Amino acid sequence: MRLRALLDTDALGLRLLGGEDELDRSVRGVMTTDLRDPSRYLSGGELVLTGLAWRRDAGDSEPFVRILAGAGVAGLAAGEAELGDIPDDLVEACLRHRLPLFAVHETVAFAMITEHVVRQVSGERAGDLAAVVDRHRRLMTSGPAGGGPEVVLELLTSDLDLRAWVLSPTGRRIAGAGEPLPPRVGAELAGQHLAATRTGRRGPHRAEVGGTAYSLFPIRNTGRGAAPVPSRDVRESVLSDWLLAVEADASDWPAARLDLLQGVTQLIAVERDRRDAARSVRRRLAQEVLELVQTGAAPAEIAARLRVAAPVLLPGLGTAPHWQVVVARVEWSAGDAELSGGQAAQALLEEVLVDPAVTGPDSADRIAVAHTGEEAIALVPLSALAPSGGDGGTDPSVEADGEDATERQDPALHADALLDSVRAPLSAGLADDGRLTLGVSAAVHSAEGLRGALEEARHARRVAAARPGPVCAAGHHELASHVLLLPFVPDDVRRAFTARLLDPLRDYDRRHRAELMETLEAFLDCDGSWTRCAARLHLHVNTLRYRVGRIEQLTGRDLSRLEDKLDFFLALRMS
Protein backbone atom coordinates (compact mmCIF):
# COMPACT_ATOMS: atom_id res chain seq x y z
CA MET A 1 0.00 0.00 0.00
CA ARG A 2 1.04 3.66 -0.39
CA LEU A 3 1.49 6.15 2.44
CA ARG A 4 -1.06 8.39 0.75
CA ALA A 5 -3.77 5.80 1.41
CA LEU A 6 -3.37 6.31 5.17
CA LEU A 7 -4.65 9.88 4.90
CA ASP A 8 -7.73 8.71 3.01
CA THR A 9 -8.87 6.61 5.99
CA ASP A 10 -10.58 8.98 8.43
CA ALA A 11 -10.85 6.33 11.17
CA LEU A 12 -7.04 6.33 11.57
CA GLY A 13 -6.98 9.99 12.66
CA LEU A 14 -3.67 10.77 10.94
CA ARG A 15 -2.56 14.33 10.20
CA LEU A 16 0.36 15.01 7.82
CA LEU A 17 3.03 17.27 9.31
CA GLY A 18 5.62 17.02 6.54
CA GLY A 19 6.84 15.00 3.57
CA GLU A 20 3.97 15.53 1.14
CA ASP A 21 6.29 14.84 -1.81
CA GLU A 22 7.10 11.36 -0.42
CA LEU A 23 3.57 10.01 0.00
CA ASP A 24 3.90 7.54 -2.89
CA ARG A 25 6.32 5.41 -0.85
CA SER A 26 5.28 1.77 -0.44
CA VAL A 27 4.46 0.50 3.04
CA ARG A 28 5.55 -3.12 3.56
CA GLY A 29 4.82 -3.41 7.27
CA VAL A 30 4.35 -1.60 10.55
CA MET A 31 6.44 -1.37 13.74
CA THR A 32 5.76 0.25 17.13
CA THR A 33 8.79 1.41 19.10
CA ASP A 34 9.99 3.80 21.80
CA LEU A 35 13.61 2.70 21.57
CA ARG A 36 16.20 5.40 20.97
CA ASP A 37 17.84 3.12 18.37
CA PRO A 38 15.42 0.60 16.80
CA SER A 39 17.64 -0.08 13.75
CA ARG A 40 18.21 -3.76 14.57
CA TYR A 41 14.48 -4.42 14.18
CA LEU A 42 14.03 -2.53 10.89
CA SER A 43 14.37 -4.01 7.41
CA GLY A 44 12.99 -1.12 5.32
CA GLY A 45 9.54 -0.09 4.13
CA GLU A 46 7.90 0.05 7.60
CA LEU A 47 5.54 2.66 8.97
CA VAL A 48 7.06 3.36 12.40
CA LEU A 49 4.66 4.22 15.24
CA THR A 50 6.07 5.92 18.34
CA GLY A 51 4.71 7.43 21.55
CA LEU A 52 7.85 9.64 21.84
CA ALA A 53 8.93 8.09 25.15
CA TRP A 54 12.48 8.01 23.75
CA ARG A 55 12.60 11.87 23.59
CA ARG A 56 14.06 13.60 26.64
CA ASP A 57 15.11 16.87 25.01
CA ALA A 58 15.20 18.53 21.61
CA GLY A 59 18.60 17.03 20.79
CA ASP A 60 17.18 13.50 20.69
CA SER A 61 15.07 14.01 17.56
CA GLU A 62 17.88 14.35 15.01
CA PRO A 63 19.70 11.02 15.77
CA PHE A 64 16.38 9.15 16.02
CA VAL A 65 15.14 10.36 12.62
CA ARG A 66 18.58 9.82 11.07
CA ILE A 67 18.47 6.16 12.16
CA LEU A 68 15.00 5.68 10.66
CA ALA A 69 15.95 7.33 7.37
CA GLY A 70 19.11 5.22 7.13
CA ALA A 71 17.05 2.05 7.65
CA GLY A 72 14.77 3.01 4.74
CA VAL A 73 11.49 3.21 6.63
CA ALA A 74 8.47 4.49 4.71
CA GLY A 75 7.28 7.02 7.28
CA LEU A 76 6.94 7.99 10.95
CA ALA A 77 3.68 8.39 12.89
CA ALA A 78 4.01 10.07 16.32
CA GLY A 79 1.29 9.93 18.97
CA GLU A 80 -0.04 13.10 20.62
CA ALA A 81 -1.13 11.36 23.82
CA GLU A 82 2.21 11.84 25.64
CA LEU A 83 3.31 15.39 24.75
CA GLY A 84 0.26 16.88 23.10
CA ASP A 85 1.49 18.67 19.99
CA ILE A 86 4.35 17.05 18.12
CA PRO A 87 7.64 18.86 18.98
CA ASP A 88 8.99 21.22 16.34
CA ASP A 89 12.46 19.67 16.57
CA LEU A 90 11.02 16.34 15.41
CA VAL A 91 9.16 18.01 12.53
CA GLU A 92 12.32 19.81 11.43
CA ALA A 93 14.44 16.64 11.63
CA CYS A 94 11.95 14.75 9.45
CA LEU A 95 11.96 17.57 6.90
CA ARG A 96 15.78 17.49 6.73
CA HIS A 97 15.81 13.73 6.11
CA ARG A 98 12.75 13.79 3.79
CA LEU A 99 10.91 11.39 6.09
CA PRO A 100 7.09 11.72 5.98
CA LEU A 101 5.73 12.53 9.46
CA PHE A 102 2.18 11.97 10.70
CA ALA A 103 0.53 13.00 13.95
CA VAL A 104 -1.72 10.39 15.55
CA HIS A 105 -4.71 11.78 17.48
CA GLU A 106 -4.71 10.84 21.16
CA THR A 107 -8.01 8.98 20.74
CA VAL A 108 -6.58 6.58 18.17
CA ALA A 109 -4.85 3.45 19.42
CA PHE A 110 -1.68 2.30 17.67
CA ALA A 111 -3.22 -1.17 17.53
CA MET A 112 -5.92 0.17 15.19
CA ILE A 113 -3.32 1.56 12.78
CA THR A 114 -1.28 -1.63 12.97
CA GLU A 115 -4.27 -3.82 12.22
CA HIS A 116 -5.29 -1.64 9.27
CA VAL A 117 -1.81 -1.60 7.70
CA VAL A 118 -1.22 -5.34 8.18
CA ARG A 119 -4.61 -6.16 6.70
CA GLN A 120 -4.03 -3.95 3.67
CA VAL A 121 -0.45 -5.08 3.02
CA SER A 122 -1.20 -8.79 3.48
CA GLY A 123 -4.33 -8.57 1.38
CA GLU A 124 -2.56 -6.83 -1.48
CA ARG A 125 0.38 -9.26 -1.46
CA ALA A 126 -1.83 -12.31 -1.25
CA GLY A 127 -4.07 -10.93 -3.98
CA ASP A 128 -1.08 -10.24 -6.26
CA LEU A 129 0.38 -13.68 -5.72
CA ALA A 130 -2.99 -15.36 -6.11
CA ALA A 131 -3.31 -13.62 -9.46
CA VAL A 132 0.16 -14.86 -10.44
CA VAL A 133 -0.67 -18.44 -9.49
CA ASP A 134 -4.04 -18.32 -11.23
CA ARG A 135 -2.51 -16.85 -14.37
CA HIS A 136 0.19 -19.50 -14.52
CA ARG A 137 -2.27 -22.29 -13.80
CA ARG A 138 -4.27 -21.21 -16.86
CA LEU A 139 -1.06 -21.12 -18.91
CA MET A 140 0.02 -24.58 -17.85
CA THR A 141 -3.39 -26.18 -18.34
CA SER A 142 -3.49 -24.86 -21.88
CA GLY A 143 -0.85 -27.38 -22.95
CA PRO A 144 2.90 -27.90 -23.17
CA ALA A 145 3.30 -24.53 -24.87
CA GLY A 146 2.11 -22.78 -21.73
CA GLY A 147 5.54 -21.43 -20.91
CA GLY A 148 6.96 -23.74 -18.25
CA PRO A 149 8.48 -22.70 -14.91
CA GLU A 150 10.24 -19.66 -16.40
CA VAL A 151 6.86 -17.93 -16.77
CA VAL A 152 5.82 -18.13 -13.14
CA LEU A 153 9.30 -17.05 -11.98
CA GLU A 154 9.19 -14.03 -14.26
CA LEU A 155 5.80 -13.12 -12.82
CA LEU A 156 7.07 -13.48 -9.27
CA THR A 157 9.88 -11.07 -10.12
CA SER A 158 7.88 -8.49 -12.05
CA ASP A 159 4.72 -8.48 -9.92
CA LEU A 160 6.03 -9.22 -6.43
CA ASP A 161 9.70 -8.23 -6.61
CA LEU A 162 10.70 -11.78 -5.64
CA ARG A 163 13.78 -13.25 -7.32
CA ALA A 164 13.50 -17.03 -7.52
CA TRP A 165 15.17 -20.00 -9.19
CA VAL A 166 14.33 -23.66 -9.65
CA LEU A 167 17.38 -25.77 -8.77
CA SER A 168 18.25 -29.43 -9.13
CA PRO A 169 19.42 -31.47 -6.08
CA THR A 170 23.01 -30.53 -6.96
CA GLY A 171 22.27 -26.82 -7.37
CA ARG A 172 22.17 -26.71 -11.17
CA ARG A 173 19.84 -23.97 -12.40
CA ILE A 174 16.81 -25.47 -14.13
CA ALA A 175 14.80 -22.27 -14.45
CA GLY A 176 15.08 -18.69 -13.32
CA ALA A 177 14.10 -15.14 -14.17
CA GLY A 178 16.38 -12.15 -14.50
CA GLU A 179 19.95 -12.27 -13.25
CA PRO A 180 21.35 -15.83 -13.14
CA LEU A 181 22.31 -17.42 -9.86
CA PRO A 182 26.08 -18.08 -9.66
CA PRO A 183 26.82 -21.86 -9.76
CA ARG A 184 28.71 -21.67 -6.47
CA VAL A 185 25.68 -20.14 -4.74
CA GLY A 186 23.35 -22.72 -6.30
CA ALA A 187 25.51 -25.59 -5.05
CA GLU A 188 25.68 -24.09 -1.54
CA LEU A 189 21.89 -23.60 -1.41
CA ALA A 190 21.31 -27.16 -2.61
CA GLY A 191 23.66 -28.50 0.06
CA GLN A 192 21.89 -26.57 2.83
CA HIS A 193 18.51 -27.72 1.52
CA LEU A 194 19.57 -31.38 1.42
CA ALA A 195 21.07 -31.18 4.91
CA ALA A 196 17.88 -29.63 6.32
CA THR A 197 15.69 -32.18 4.56
CA ARG A 198 17.72 -35.09 5.97
CA THR A 199 17.07 -33.80 9.50
CA GLY A 200 13.34 -34.16 8.89
CA ARG A 201 12.59 -30.44 9.14
CA ARG A 202 9.67 -29.23 7.06
CA GLY A 203 10.22 -26.57 4.43
CA PRO A 204 10.66 -23.84 3.65
CA HIS A 205 14.22 -23.90 4.93
CA ARG A 206 16.08 -20.68 5.61
CA ALA A 207 19.57 -20.47 4.11
CA GLU A 208 22.20 -17.78 3.93
CA VAL A 209 25.01 -17.44 1.39
CA GLY A 210 27.32 -14.45 1.26
CA GLY A 211 25.15 -12.48 3.68
CA THR A 212 22.01 -12.92 1.54
CA ALA A 213 19.01 -14.76 2.98
CA TYR A 214 17.11 -17.32 0.91
CA SER A 215 14.03 -19.46 1.53
CA LEU A 216 14.14 -22.96 0.05
CA PHE A 217 10.88 -24.68 -0.86
CA PRO A 218 10.97 -28.39 -1.81
CA ILE A 219 9.32 -29.32 -5.11
CA ARG A 220 7.95 -32.78 -4.54
CA ASN A 221 7.88 -35.36 -7.30
CA THR A 222 4.17 -36.05 -7.74
CA GLY A 223 4.41 -38.38 -10.74
CA ARG A 224 2.90 -41.84 -10.98
CA GLY A 225 5.99 -43.51 -9.61
CA ALA A 226 6.16 -41.34 -6.51
CA ALA A 227 5.11 -42.80 -3.17
CA PRO A 228 2.55 -40.94 -1.03
CA VAL A 229 4.39 -38.30 1.00
CA PRO A 230 3.29 -39.53 4.48
CA SER A 231 4.57 -43.06 3.82
CA ARG A 232 7.74 -42.13 1.99
CA ASP A 233 11.17 -42.44 3.54
CA VAL A 234 12.92 -39.11 3.00
CA ARG A 235 15.90 -40.96 1.51
CA GLU A 236 13.77 -42.12 -1.41
CA SER A 237 13.36 -38.57 -2.73
CA VAL A 238 15.95 -36.33 -1.10
CA LEU A 239 18.48 -36.89 -3.90
CA SER A 240 16.04 -36.34 -6.74
CA ASP A 241 13.59 -33.58 -5.74
CA TRP A 242 13.95 -30.10 -7.19
CA LEU A 243 13.80 -27.01 -4.99
CA LEU A 244 12.56 -23.45 -5.36
CA ALA A 245 15.06 -20.90 -4.00
CA VAL A 246 13.55 -17.49 -3.24
CA GLU A 247 15.77 -14.55 -2.37
CA ALA A 248 13.83 -13.56 0.76
CA ASP A 249 13.39 -14.61 4.37
CA ALA A 250 10.00 -16.34 4.57
CA SER A 251 10.18 -16.90 8.33
CA ASP A 252 7.83 -13.97 9.01
CA TRP A 253 5.51 -14.45 6.04
CA PRO A 254 1.79 -14.89 6.80
CA ALA A 255 0.30 -18.34 6.31
CA ALA A 256 -1.64 -17.27 3.22
CA ARG A 257 1.52 -16.20 1.44
CA LEU A 258 3.33 -19.42 2.33
CA ASP A 259 0.37 -21.43 1.02
CA LEU A 260 0.50 -19.57 -2.26
CA LEU A 261 4.23 -20.23 -2.67
CA GLN A 262 3.46 -23.90 -2.03
CA GLY A 263 0.98 -23.58 -4.90
CA VAL A 264 3.78 -22.28 -7.11
CA THR A 265 5.90 -25.34 -6.25
CA GLN A 266 2.99 -27.59 -7.20
CA LEU A 267 2.76 -25.92 -10.60
CA ILE A 268 6.47 -26.44 -11.15
CA ALA A 269 6.04 -30.06 -10.04
CA VAL A 270 3.63 -30.50 -12.96
CA GLU A 271 6.41 -29.38 -15.28
CA ARG A 272 8.75 -31.83 -13.56
CA ASP A 273 6.28 -34.65 -14.21
CA ARG A 274 6.21 -33.74 -17.89
CA ARG A 275 9.99 -33.82 -18.02
CA ASP A 276 10.06 -37.24 -16.38
CA ALA A 277 7.46 -38.55 -18.82
CA ALA A 278 9.65 -37.48 -21.74
CA ARG A 279 12.69 -39.03 -20.09
CA SER A 280 10.95 -42.40 -19.80
CA VAL A 281 11.56 -43.01 -23.53
CA ARG A 282 15.32 -42.70 -23.04
CA ARG A 283 15.17 -44.84 -19.92
CA ARG A 284 13.34 -47.56 -21.83
CA LEU A 285 15.96 -47.49 -24.60
CA ALA A 286 18.72 -47.90 -22.07
CA GLN A 287 16.88 -50.75 -20.37
CA GLU A 288 16.42 -52.60 -23.66
CA VAL A 289 20.09 -52.23 -24.64
CA LEU A 290 21.20 -53.27 -21.16
CA GLU A 291 19.07 -56.42 -21.20
CA LEU A 292 20.49 -57.40 -24.59
CA VAL A 293 24.06 -56.84 -23.40
CA GLN A 294 23.62 -58.73 -20.12
CA THR A 295 21.87 -61.70 -21.71
CA GLY A 296 24.66 -62.14 -24.27
CA ALA A 297 22.60 -61.20 -27.34
CA ALA A 298 24.27 -61.22 -30.73
CA PRO A 299 26.25 -58.05 -31.53
CA ALA A 300 24.08 -57.52 -34.63
CA GLU A 301 20.94 -57.37 -32.45
CA ILE A 302 22.57 -54.94 -30.04
CA ALA A 303 23.81 -52.81 -32.95
CA ALA A 304 20.28 -52.63 -34.35
CA ARG A 305 18.98 -51.37 -31.00
CA LEU A 306 21.78 -48.80 -30.83
CA ARG A 307 20.81 -47.52 -34.28
CA VAL A 308 17.34 -46.87 -32.88
CA ALA A 309 18.73 -45.16 -29.79
CA ALA A 310 21.23 -42.88 -31.55
CA PRO A 311 18.70 -40.59 -33.31
CA VAL A 312 16.73 -40.18 -30.06
CA LEU A 313 19.76 -39.26 -28.01
CA LEU A 314 21.63 -37.32 -30.69
CA PRO A 315 19.11 -35.87 -33.17
CA GLY A 316 20.58 -35.15 -36.58
CA LEU A 317 23.63 -37.37 -36.12
CA GLY A 318 24.38 -39.16 -39.37
CA THR A 319 26.61 -41.94 -38.03
CA ALA A 320 26.59 -44.16 -34.98
CA PRO A 321 28.49 -42.49 -32.14
CA HIS A 322 30.97 -43.86 -29.72
CA TRP A 323 29.52 -44.92 -26.37
CA GLN A 324 30.58 -44.92 -22.75
CA VAL A 325 29.00 -46.80 -19.87
CA VAL A 326 28.70 -45.31 -16.39
CA VAL A 327 27.58 -47.38 -13.39
CA ALA A 328 26.39 -45.82 -10.13
CA ARG A 329 25.17 -47.22 -6.84
CA VAL A 330 23.56 -45.53 -3.83
CA GLU A 331 23.77 -47.52 -0.60
CA TRP A 332 22.24 -46.75 2.77
CA SER A 333 23.89 -48.12 5.87
CA ALA A 334 20.93 -47.79 8.24
CA GLY A 335 17.16 -47.89 8.24
CA ASP A 336 14.68 -50.01 6.33
CA ALA A 337 16.34 -53.00 4.69
CA GLU A 338 13.76 -52.80 1.91
CA LEU A 339 14.87 -49.27 0.93
CA SER A 340 16.23 -49.54 -2.60
CA GLY A 341 18.90 -47.25 -3.93
CA GLY A 342 18.32 -48.11 -7.58
CA GLN A 343 15.89 -45.30 -8.40
CA ALA A 344 17.88 -42.79 -6.37
CA ALA A 345 21.03 -43.81 -8.27
CA GLN A 346 19.17 -43.49 -11.57
CA ALA A 347 17.98 -39.94 -10.79
CA LEU A 348 21.42 -38.96 -9.51
CA LEU A 349 23.22 -40.37 -12.53
CA GLU A 350 20.91 -38.45 -14.86
CA GLU A 351 21.75 -35.30 -12.92
CA VAL A 352 25.51 -35.89 -12.61
CA LEU A 353 25.90 -36.55 -16.34
CA VAL A 354 24.36 -33.22 -17.34
CA ASP A 355 26.82 -30.69 -18.68
CA PRO A 356 27.03 -28.12 -15.83
CA ALA A 357 27.24 -25.30 -18.40
CA VAL A 358 23.80 -26.21 -19.76
CA THR A 359 20.64 -25.07 -17.99
CA GLY A 360 16.98 -25.95 -18.35
CA PRO A 361 14.76 -28.91 -17.52
CA ASP A 362 15.57 -30.70 -20.79
CA SER A 363 19.35 -30.39 -20.67
CA ALA A 364 19.66 -34.12 -19.94
CA ASP A 365 17.90 -35.17 -23.14
CA ARG A 366 20.94 -37.07 -24.43
CA ILE A 367 21.35 -39.35 -21.43
CA ALA A 368 19.78 -42.78 -21.17
CA VAL A 369 19.88 -44.38 -17.72
CA ALA A 370 18.40 -47.71 -16.64
CA HIS A 371 18.37 -49.20 -13.18
CA THR A 372 18.45 -52.79 -12.10
CA GLY A 373 18.23 -53.62 -8.41
CA GLU A 374 20.62 -51.37 -6.51
CA GLU A 375 22.53 -50.32 -9.61
CA ALA A 376 21.98 -47.59 -12.20
CA ILE A 377 23.61 -47.87 -15.62
CA ALA A 378 23.97 -45.00 -18.11
CA LEU A 379 24.51 -45.35 -21.83
CA VAL A 380 26.19 -42.13 -22.93
CA PRO A 381 26.67 -41.32 -26.64
CA LEU A 382 29.78 -39.41 -27.69
CA SER A 383 29.34 -37.82 -31.08
CA ALA A 384 32.84 -36.49 -31.76
CA LEU A 385 35.29 -38.75 -29.97
CA ALA A 386 38.81 -38.68 -31.32
CA PRO A 387 40.37 -42.08 -32.19
CA SER A 388 41.87 -43.82 -29.20
CA GLY A 389 44.53 -45.67 -31.14
CA GLY A 390 46.32 -45.63 -34.48
CA ASP A 391 44.58 -48.31 -36.53
CA GLY A 392 46.64 -47.54 -39.57
CA GLY A 393 49.86 -46.86 -37.78
CA THR A 394 49.26 -43.11 -37.72
CA ASP A 395 49.67 -40.96 -34.67
CA PRO A 396 46.18 -40.56 -33.22
CA SER A 397 47.07 -37.12 -31.87
CA VAL A 398 47.50 -35.76 -35.39
CA GLU A 399 44.47 -35.18 -37.62
CA ALA A 400 44.54 -35.45 -41.41
CA ASP A 401 44.51 -31.67 -41.77
CA GLY A 402 47.41 -31.28 -39.33
CA GLU A 403 45.30 -30.23 -36.37
CA ASP A 404 46.54 -31.40 -33.00
CA ALA A 405 43.76 -33.58 -31.63
CA THR A 406 44.90 -32.96 -28.07
CA GLU A 407 43.85 -29.33 -28.51
CA ARG A 408 40.29 -30.33 -29.38
CA GLN A 409 37.76 -30.66 -26.62
CA ASP A 410 37.64 -34.25 -25.47
CA PRO A 411 33.97 -35.27 -25.21
CA ALA A 412 34.76 -38.41 -23.22
CA LEU A 413 33.61 -38.56 -19.60
CA HIS A 414 36.24 -38.55 -16.87
CA ALA A 415 35.40 -39.98 -13.46
CA ASP A 416 37.14 -37.29 -11.39
CA ALA A 417 35.55 -34.39 -13.27
CA LEU A 418 32.02 -35.80 -13.03
CA LEU A 419 31.76 -35.30 -9.29
CA ASP A 420 33.83 -32.15 -8.78
CA SER A 421 30.94 -29.67 -8.78
CA VAL A 422 28.35 -31.89 -7.07
CA ARG A 423 30.37 -33.57 -4.32
CA ALA A 424 29.51 -31.05 -1.58
CA PRO A 425 25.71 -30.92 -2.00
CA LEU A 426 25.42 -34.68 -2.52
CA SER A 427 27.48 -35.35 0.59
CA ALA A 428 24.97 -33.24 2.55
CA GLY A 429 22.07 -35.28 1.15
CA LEU A 430 23.75 -38.61 1.85
CA ALA A 431 24.58 -37.47 5.41
CA ASP A 432 26.16 -40.12 7.62
CA ASP A 433 24.28 -43.15 6.36
CA GLY A 434 24.54 -42.97 2.56
CA ARG A 435 27.18 -43.45 -0.13
CA LEU A 436 27.33 -42.79 -3.86
CA THR A 437 29.94 -44.70 -5.84
CA LEU A 438 30.46 -44.37 -9.57
CA GLY A 439 32.53 -46.09 -12.25
CA VAL A 440 33.26 -44.97 -15.82
CA SER A 441 34.28 -47.17 -18.75
CA ALA A 442 36.47 -46.32 -21.70
CA ALA A 443 34.72 -45.32 -24.92
CA VAL A 444 33.74 -48.06 -27.37
CA HIS A 445 32.70 -47.68 -30.98
CA SER A 446 30.73 -50.86 -31.60
CA ALA A 447 28.13 -53.16 -30.10
CA GLU A 448 30.79 -55.79 -29.50
CA GLY A 449 32.50 -53.51 -26.99
CA LEU A 450 29.49 -52.73 -24.83
CA ARG A 451 29.62 -55.88 -22.74
CA GLY A 452 33.26 -55.24 -21.88
CA ALA A 453 32.51 -51.56 -21.21
CA LEU A 454 29.76 -52.54 -18.77
CA GLU A 455 32.05 -54.89 -16.87
CA GLU A 456 34.81 -52.28 -16.92
CA ALA A 457 32.49 -49.64 -15.43
CA ARG A 458 31.35 -52.10 -12.75
CA HIS A 459 34.93 -52.94 -11.81
CA ALA A 460 35.76 -49.23 -11.63
CA ARG A 461 32.77 -48.64 -9.35
CA ARG A 462 34.01 -51.37 -7.01
CA VAL A 463 37.38 -49.63 -6.87
CA ALA A 464 35.57 -46.40 -5.94
CA ALA A 465 33.56 -48.27 -3.28
CA ALA A 466 36.78 -49.34 -1.57
CA ARG A 467 37.74 -45.70 -1.00
CA PRO A 468 36.65 -43.59 1.98
CA GLY A 469 34.09 -40.82 1.69
CA PRO A 470 30.39 -40.50 0.86
CA VAL A 471 30.91 -39.66 -2.85
CA CYS A 472 33.61 -41.53 -4.81
CA ALA A 473 34.34 -42.27 -8.46
CA ALA A 474 36.90 -44.26 -10.44
CA GLY A 475 37.68 -44.48 -14.14
CA HIS A 476 38.75 -47.19 -16.55
CA HIS A 477 42.36 -45.95 -16.60
CA GLU A 478 42.74 -47.08 -12.98
CA LEU A 479 42.03 -50.68 -13.91
CA ALA A 480 45.45 -51.06 -15.53
CA SER A 481 47.31 -50.03 -12.40
CA HIS A 482 48.23 -51.46 -9.02
CA VAL A 483 45.47 -49.24 -7.54
CA LEU A 484 42.98 -51.79 -8.83
CA LEU A 485 44.47 -54.43 -6.53
CA LEU A 486 45.19 -52.41 -3.40
CA PRO A 487 41.59 -51.68 -2.33
CA PHE A 488 40.78 -55.39 -2.25
CA VAL A 489 43.62 -56.38 0.07
CA PRO A 490 42.06 -57.35 3.43
CA ASP A 491 42.62 -54.80 6.19
CA ASP A 492 44.47 -57.20 8.45
CA VAL A 493 46.86 -58.13 5.61
CA ARG A 494 47.43 -54.43 4.88
CA ARG A 495 48.24 -53.67 8.50
CA ALA A 496 50.61 -56.60 8.89
CA PHE A 497 52.43 -55.89 5.61
CA THR A 498 52.94 -52.16 6.23
CA ALA A 499 53.83 -52.65 9.89
CA ARG A 500 56.54 -55.19 9.06
CA LEU A 501 58.23 -52.84 6.58
CA LEU A 502 57.52 -49.33 7.83
CA ASP A 503 57.10 -49.48 11.63
CA PRO A 504 60.87 -49.91 12.24
CA LEU A 505 61.50 -46.75 10.22
CA ARG A 506 58.76 -44.77 11.97
CA ASP A 507 60.03 -45.81 15.39
CA TYR A 508 63.58 -44.81 14.48
CA ASP A 509 62.39 -41.44 13.16
CA ARG A 510 60.49 -40.76 16.40
CA ARG A 511 63.57 -41.47 18.50
CA HIS A 512 66.24 -39.83 16.35
CA ARG A 513 64.38 -37.43 13.98
CA ALA A 514 66.28 -39.09 11.16
CA GLU A 515 63.64 -38.55 8.41
CA LEU A 516 64.06 -42.09 7.08
CA MET A 517 60.43 -42.26 5.88
CA GLU A 518 60.81 -39.05 3.89
CA THR A 519 64.07 -40.33 2.45
CA LEU A 520 62.51 -43.65 1.41
CA GLU A 521 59.61 -41.95 -0.39
CA ALA A 522 61.93 -39.56 -2.22
CA PHE A 523 64.36 -42.35 -3.19
CA LEU A 524 61.57 -44.45 -4.73
CA ASP A 525 60.02 -41.40 -6.41
CA CYS A 526 63.40 -40.67 -8.05
CA ASP A 527 63.58 -44.25 -9.35
CA GLY A 528 66.62 -45.00 -7.16
CA SER A 529 68.72 -42.19 -8.62
CA TRP A 530 71.24 -41.10 -5.98
CA THR A 531 72.00 -37.71 -7.52
CA ARG A 532 68.36 -36.69 -8.19
CA CYS A 533 67.23 -37.85 -4.75
CA ALA A 534 70.08 -36.04 -2.99
CA ALA A 535 69.25 -32.85 -4.90
CA ARG A 536 65.56 -33.10 -4.03
CA LEU A 537 66.31 -33.59 -0.32
CA HIS A 538 69.15 -31.01 -0.34
CA LEU A 539 71.56 -33.61 1.00
CA HIS A 540 75.10 -34.68 0.15
CA VAL A 541 75.11 -38.00 -1.68
CA ASN A 542 77.11 -39.59 1.15
CA THR A 543 74.44 -38.53 3.66
CA LEU A 544 71.79 -40.07 1.43
CA ARG A 545 73.79 -43.31 1.18
CA TYR A 546 74.05 -43.42 4.98
CA ARG A 547 70.25 -43.00 5.37
CA VAL A 548 69.46 -45.67 2.77
CA GLY A 549 71.91 -48.00 4.50
CA ARG A 550 70.14 -47.41 7.78
CA ILE A 551 66.76 -48.21 6.11
CA GLU A 552 68.18 -51.50 4.78
CA GLN A 553 69.71 -52.37 8.16
CA LEU A 554 66.44 -51.75 10.06
CA THR A 555 64.22 -53.66 7.61
CA GLY A 556 66.53 -56.38 6.34
CA ARG A 557 65.80 -55.33 2.72
CA ASP A 558 68.06 -54.31 -0.16
CA LEU A 559 66.95 -51.18 -2.07
CA SER A 560 69.09 -52.16 -5.05
CA ARG A 561 66.74 -55.12 -5.69
CA LEU A 562 63.56 -54.52 -7.71
CA GLU A 563 61.49 -56.85 -5.50
CA ASP A 564 62.36 -54.95 -2.34
CA LYS A 565 61.74 -51.59 -4.01
CA LEU A 566 58.31 -52.82 -5.09
CA ASP A 567 57.47 -54.01 -1.57
CA PHE A 568 58.37 -50.64 -0.10
CA PHE A 569 56.38 -48.86 -2.83
CA LEU A 570 53.24 -50.91 -2.11
CA ALA A 571 53.65 -50.52 1.65
CA LEU A 572 53.76 -46.74 1.28
CA ARG A 573 50.66 -46.80 -0.94
CA MET A 574 48.71 -48.92 1.55
CA SER A 575 49.78 -47.03 4.66
Side-chain angles (χ1 to χ4, degrees), residues 35-39 54-55 57-71 89-90 93-94 96-97 99:
L35 295 173
R36 297 169 69 87
D37 180 3
S39 58
W54 49 267
R55 184 184 178 277
D57 55 51
D60 292 336
S61 293
E62 169 64 25
F64 180 78
V65 173
R66 184 170 62 249
I67 289 170
L68 298 187
D89 49 90
L90 180 59
C94 287
R96 280 194 298 273
H97 291 279
L99 181 66

Side-chain angles (χ1 to χ4, degrees), residues 93-106:
C94 287
L95 289 174
R96 280 194 298 273
H97 291 279
R98 302 181 64 84
L99 181 66
L101 175 63
F102 302 89
V104 183
H105 195 272
E106 61 181 4

Side-chain angles (χ1 to χ4, degrees), residues 175-238:
E179 190 175 331
L181 192 68
R184 179 191 62 80
V185 177
E188 177 65 24
L189 290 176
Q192 294 190 41
H193 172 74
L194 289 171
T197 302
R198 283 304 311 273
T199 65
R201 286 159 42 201
R202 298 186 62 183
H205 307 301
R206 187 186 186 281
E208 186 170 317
V209 178
T212 301
Y214 297 86
S215 295
L216 310 177
F217 294 80
I219 300 174
R220 303 296 184 191
N221 183 3
T222 59
R224 295 180 180 179
V229 174
S231 64
R232 187 169 59 182
D233 189 311
V234 67
R235 292 172 294 180
E236 292 185 41
S237 60
V238 67

Side-chain angles (χ1 to χ4, degrees), residues 288-374:
E288 291 173 354
V289 173
L290 175 63
E291 289 176 359
L292 290 174
V293 170
Q294 293 193 125
T295 56
E301 188 177 358
I302 299 174
R305 180 52 56 188
L306 287 176
R307 283 193 293 272
V308 172
V312 176
L313 300 177
L314 290 173
L317 188 67
T319 59
H322 293 71
W323 302 88
Q324 272 183 286
V325 175
V326 183
V327 173
R329 189 180 181 105
V330 171
E331 297 172 288
W332 304 104
S333 59
D336 188 353
E338 299 298 321
L339 183 64
S340 171
Q343 287 186 324
Q346 183 180 42
L348 268 186
L349 199 47
E350 288 169 337
E351 172 63 25
V352 167
L353 291 175
V354 175
D355 183 347
V358 179
T359 60
D362 296 323
S363 54
D365 61 356
R366 295 185 177 185
I367 299 165
V369 183
H371 82 85
T372 169
E374 298 296 315

Side-chain angles (χ1 to χ4, degrees), residues 125-161:
R125 288 178 175 175
D128 288 346
L129 190 53
V132 170
V133 173
D134 182 64
R135 177 179 176 187
H136 192 63
R137 181 177 287 110
R138 291 197 304 271
L139 286 171
M140 294 189 71
T141 55
S142 66
E150 298 280 358
V151 174
V152 73
L153 299 183
E154 289 171 1
L155 290 171
L156 287 175
T157 300
S158 61
D159 292 8
L160 297 175
D161 196 26

